[in-house]
Amino acid sequence: MNAPASPAALTDARAFAIAKAMLEGFDRHYRLFRQASTEAKARFEAADWHGQQRAQVLRIEYYDKRVDEAAERLQNEFEAAALPMDVWQQVKLHYIGLLIDHYQPELAETFFNSVTTKILHRSYFRNDFIFVRPAVSTEYIENNEPAALPTYRAYYPTADTLAAIWLRIVNNFQLAREFEDLERDIGSVMRAVSEQLGELRLRANFQIQVLSSLFFRNKGAYVVGKIINGFTETPFALPIIHTRSGKLAIDAALFGEDDLLLVFSFARAYFMVAMEVPSAYVQFLRSLMPRKPRSEIYSAIGLQKQGKNIFYRDFLMHTRHSSDRFRIAPGIKGMVMLVFDLPSFPFVFKVIKDFYPAQKDTTREKIKGKYLLVKQHDRVGRMADTLEYSNVAFPRERFEPELIAELKEFCPSLIEEDGETLVIRHLYIERRMIPLNIYLQEATPEQTAQAVIEYGNAIKDLVRANIFPGDMLWKNFGVTRHGKVVFYDYDEIEYLTDCNFRKVPEARNEEDEMSGEVWYPVGPRDVFPETFAPFLLGHPGVREVFMAHHADLLEPAFWHGHKEQILTGYVHDVFPYQAAARFEVQRAGR
């Protein structure tokens, strides 16, 4: 007869069972995530743009649903919240063991953190119990199963076979829809390569490396890779679109890190990419964009929770190796958000205030809903992505006294002081930009003209994406390092199709005309575009440029026309590159 298991053995068995249940929860999540990404190809081939948008929203929701399911399972099966801490330490050790041959170990570690922090008190948020530091290396992971695609394919053209190799690269993706004229497009690619690289002397190692999955977003599919010749590596992306004839075409050839940084911008929606080994994709993409943080690359390929985890690790490392203090962010203070920053860190921290002026008819939940809308929407390069965090612990001594005072005055329900630690219960983090109103104060006439044109272009891109910004003041837009204008104040945004664009009625009499009050009826979502001008165009130089390029924004017809188009089901093209780069435009100019 077998002796009964010792308490230690029972504890170990329970810890292993919990670790296994946790990993099963993650594996289910990634299976569904990968399926949604894989199906993007069929939706692209079918021109199912609304289906692509729905899939984008649902895929973002997958993670939190799987985390909630896993936490509930651990509570129901193991009474996880009541377990002693030594059991949780063993759970983590067993979990590490289960990840040794896993294809997504870094994502599984993040999932473990997400589930565990739902169960444990934040005092246990340290490396003994969660993955504050990664435990399993992601170096050299490759799926070696016979049917698996490699992370990237390598092609070795000669001068005589270069065109044929480009043709083969595109055909290897086996898109079901016919190209309008693929040989014509390959000719355009060849000319673009020649213009980019000059007279090509092929070195012994000359090759083209291409990631094995297409990158799907909005109405485009992107071939992403690099050309290697001697000591030179040239990143490239080939966007594939649907033409007016309903067939496919390569729309442009984009080269170099700067072009790819715009394609993978933090102000654009996440790509859908079918990846078995995400870390290998990230490593390849970092070789194309070494200036882009790993956290942003993970987010760009749809793994925003992993991006958020890495970002927070980078932030902790930065605070350990810096000594400057958090301060109230420069610029005009917001009515609903308290914004602060750390000068040495290129991001801002945004906390929803506990109360708002009378003209702001909103609530905390409404504001959070607006930020979620932006997270799930196609941001078309014009809305900054945000990272949302709960219970963030900061070293209190690093805060300026004025910032502490403002937090206590405007956000007391979200602040907790625990010894030398200041805990903020909920906040958003965004990349820092130069507020457009500040930029215009310091700009030359040429910079002012370019910024005003970009401002109008930003609003028009948002309109095409069915977004009405609400508050269009200069202070709610920022300028990126590439000179792009991006919107970042979301508490008043609405779907364009939910708004009613009206012309201001004619005054009935002189008293109406001279009145400082609105004398005509106004509904809750009525918008009067001609009233934008007094708030935006006080500066003569700004007014001149705006009226030359974007006067249509002051007319209800512009807004109403786009609203009607969207209501019919039309989805606009929004390209992450200049119109001049498009082959169609180049051919028309010849």
Side-chain angles (χ1 to χ4, degrees):
M1 187 168 126
N2 293 330
S6 67
L10 289 172
T11 297
D12 189 65
R14 171 171 279 201
F16 179 78
I18 293 171
K20 191 168 179 293
M22 193 100 72
L23 188 57
E24 287 169 359
F26 168 75
D27 287 341
R28 178 164 188 261
H29 158 68
Y30 197 75
R31 186 168 61 251
L32 293 170
F33 173 90
R34 193 168 185 274
Q35 180 182 339
S37 303
T38 301
E39 290 169 351
K41 182 171 182 280
R43 290 189 293 268
F44 173 78
E45 291 164 339
D48 181 9
W49 310 132
H50 293 289
Q52 204 80 303
Q53 290 172 344
R54 286 192 299 272
Q56 176 78 11
V57 172
L58 290 172
R59 193 184 66 164
I60 289 172
E61 294 175 352
Y62 284 169
Y63 187 89
D64 288 335
K65 287 183 177 179
R66 301 294 88 77
V67 167
D68 289 343
E69 287 173 2
E72 184 178 0
R73 180 183 174 187
L74 296 192
Q75 290 284 58
N76 291 340
E77 294 185 20
F78 305 100
E79 297 181 348
L83 293 174
M85 290 303 105
D86 60 333
V87 174
W88 277 107
Q89 288 180 303
Q90 290 183 54
V91 170
K92 182 185 174 185
L93 292 174
H94 281 301
Y95 196 79
I96 292 170
L98 292 170
L99 296 181
I100 296 301
D101 293 320
H102 205 279
Y103 293 140
Q104 305 96 29
E106 76 283 26
L107 309 187
E109 289 180 357
T110 294
F111 188 85
F112 182 97
N113 287 357
S114 298
V115 175
T116 305
T117 54
K118 273 189 167 293
I119 297 169
L120 300 181
H121 184 266
R122 64 175 177 80
S123 59
Y124 295 100
F125 296 180
R126 54 183 192 268
N127 205 53
D128 290 342
F129 305 102
I130 65 173
F131 293 93
V132 176
R133 299 190 301 274
V136 180
S137 172
T138 57
E139 296 292 314
Y140 305 111
I141 301 177
E142 191 68 54
N143 188 341
N144 294 317
E145 296 170 15
L149 288 174
T151 298
Y152 63 89
R153 297 185 178 101
Y155 302 82
Y156 303 96
T158 65
D160 295 332
T161 64
L162 189 54
I165 289 294
W166 282 111
L167 189 66
R168 184 175 151 207
I169 287 170
V170 176
N171 283 331
N172 274 349
F173 290 107
Q174 299 180 354
L175 287 163
R177 187 173 285 241
E178 183 183 355
F179 274 81
E180 189 173 81
D181 188 342
L182 185 53
E183 290 190 3
R184 173 202 67 191
D185 295 345
I186 294 302
S188 297
V189 171
M190 290 281 287
R191 285 189 292 275
V193 170
S194 178
E195 290 170 7
Q196 176 69 26
L197 301 182
E199 185 178 349
L200 202 59
R201 294 185 59 190
L202 305 190
R203 305 300 180 185
N205 67 335
F206 182 67
Q207 59 189 284
I208 303 173
Q209 294 181 357
V210 181
L211 285 165
S212 293
S213 173
L214 289 167
F215 287 62
F216 297 96
R217 185 179 64 202
N218 192 260
K219 295 168 68 176
Y222 294 76
V223 179
V224 178
K226 58 186 173 182
I227 301 167
I228 300 173
N229 192 35
F231 297 111
T232 303
E233 294 190 2
T234 304
F236 71 86
L238 306 179
I240 300 171
I241 65 167
H242 287 241
T243 67
R244 285 181 288 273
S245 69
K247 296 182 179 179
L248 300 180
I250 300 174
D251 194 49
L254 311 174
F255 295 101
E257 183 182 8
D258 284 343
D259 276 359
L260 265 72
L261 285 170
L262 291 174
V263 172
F264 286 82
S265 167
F266 66 90
R268 293 196 176 272
Y270 307 136
F271 280 109
M272 287 197 162
V273 192
M275 307 166 289
E276 187 66 19
V277 185
S279 59
Y281 270 71
V282 170
Q283 184 175 337
F284 189 98
L285 289 168
R286 281 216 83 191
S287 74
L288 311 182
M289 301 173 284
R291 287 181 292 167
K292 193 166 188 68
R294 280 192 315 132
S295 59
E296 288 188 11
I297 294 178
Y298 269 105
S299 293
I301 58 178
L303 298 164
Q304 72 275 9
K305 296 294 184 177
Q306 183 64 22
K308 176 180 164 181
N309 188 18
I310 295 174
F311 174 89
Y312 190 65
R313 287 169 175 163
D314 290 343
F315 170 65
L316 291 177
M317 190 61 65
H318 182 89
T319 56
R320 289 190 192 103
H321 293 85
S322 61
S323 58
D324 53 336
R325 304 176 85 183
F326 293 94
R327 61 176 185 175
I328 300 167
I332 300 171
K333 293 179 181 179
M335 294 184 185
V336 303
M337 287 286 194
L338 192 155
V339 184
F340 65 94
D341 70 355
L342 186 67
S344 63
F345 193 61
F347 292 84
V348 296
F349 303 79
K350 303 172 73 170
V351 185
I352 303 173
K353 294 180 179 179
D354 284 354
F355 48 88
Y356 326 105
Q359 64 265 40
K360 289 285 186 179
D361 181 19
T362 190
T363 65
R364 183 183 305 280
E365 290 310 310
K366 283 183 182 178
I367 295 166
K368 291 169 74 172
K370 304 288 189 183
Y371 275 76
L372 179 60
L373 184 159
V374 172
K375 173 70 73 175
Q376 296 176 337
H377 202 77
D378 186 351
R379 294 188 296 281
V380 295
R382 299 301 187 175
M383 292 191 287
D385 193 15
T386 55
L387 300 172
E388 185 177 7
Y389 289 90
S390 300
N391 295 317
V392 181
F394 294 89
R396 192 187 188 286
E397 64 179 12
R398 296 286 296 275
F399 278 62
E400 295 281 2
E402 295 82 4
L403 174 55
I404 293 280
E406 290 236 343
L407 287 167
K408 288 183 174 181
E409 179 180 356
F410 293 107
C411 317
S413 72
L414 296 179
I415 306 303
E416 178 185 343
E417 294 192 71
D418 184 4
E420 297 178 353
T421 300
L422 180 73
V423 177
I424 299 180
R425 294 193 178 96
H426 181 264
L427 58 75
Y428 296 99
I429 304 178
E430 287 176 7
R431 180 167 285 280
R432 183 168 56 206
M433 291 171 273
I434 304 172
L436 184 53
N437 62 310
I438 293 177
Y439 181 89
L440 290 173
Q441 291 170 9
E442 304 169 350
T444 64
E446 293 77 14
Q447 290 171 330
T448 295
Q450 182 58 36
V452 171
I453 292 169
E454 258 292 285
Y455 166 80
N457 290 340
I459 293 172
K460 289 176 177 177
D461 282 345
L462 291 172
V463 167
R464 296 183 188 105
N466 194 23
I467 291 292
F468 174 60
D471 192 342
M472 291 166 50
L473 295 176
W474 307 104
K475 70 182 181 68
N476 296 325
F477 293 76
V479 182
T480 72
R481 66 184 178 188
H482 295 103
K484 297 282 285 184
V485 170
V486 173
F487 183 57
Y488 53 59
D489 191 334
Y490 306 141
D491 59 276
E492 290 191 14
I493 66 169
E494 299 284 353
Y495 288 117
L496 187 80
T497 47
D498 288 341
C499 297
N500 181 29
F501 297 95
R502 296 173 53 192
K503 190 169 182 62
V504 174
E506 292 289 337
R508 296 167 301 187
N509 49 49
E510 187 176 346
E511 185 179 331
D512 284 348
E513 195 167 344
M514 301 302 294
S515 173
E517 302 294 327
V518 175
W519 51 266
Y520 44 88
V522 178
R525 288 185 175 170
D526 284 351
V527 180
F528 299 88
E530 62 201 279
T531 64
F532 300 160
F535 298 99
L536 300 176
L537 307 180
H539 188 284
V542 168
R543 182 180 181 84
E544 181 182 355
V545 175
F546 185 93
M547 295 305 292
H549 294 272
H550 299 302
D552 51 350
L553 289 175
L554 304 179
E555 296 293 331
F558 168 84
W559 301 86
H560 191 70
H562 280 81
K563 174 180 173 178
E564 290 301 307
Q565 265 194 318
I566 293 167
L567 286 171
T568 65
Y570 183 75
V571 177
H572 285 273
D573 289 293
V574 182
F575 304 107
Y577 42 91
Q578 296 295 326
R582 302 186 63 203
F583 292 152
E584 182 182 32
V585 173
Q586 293 172 19
R587 286 192 292 269
R590 288 196 181 103

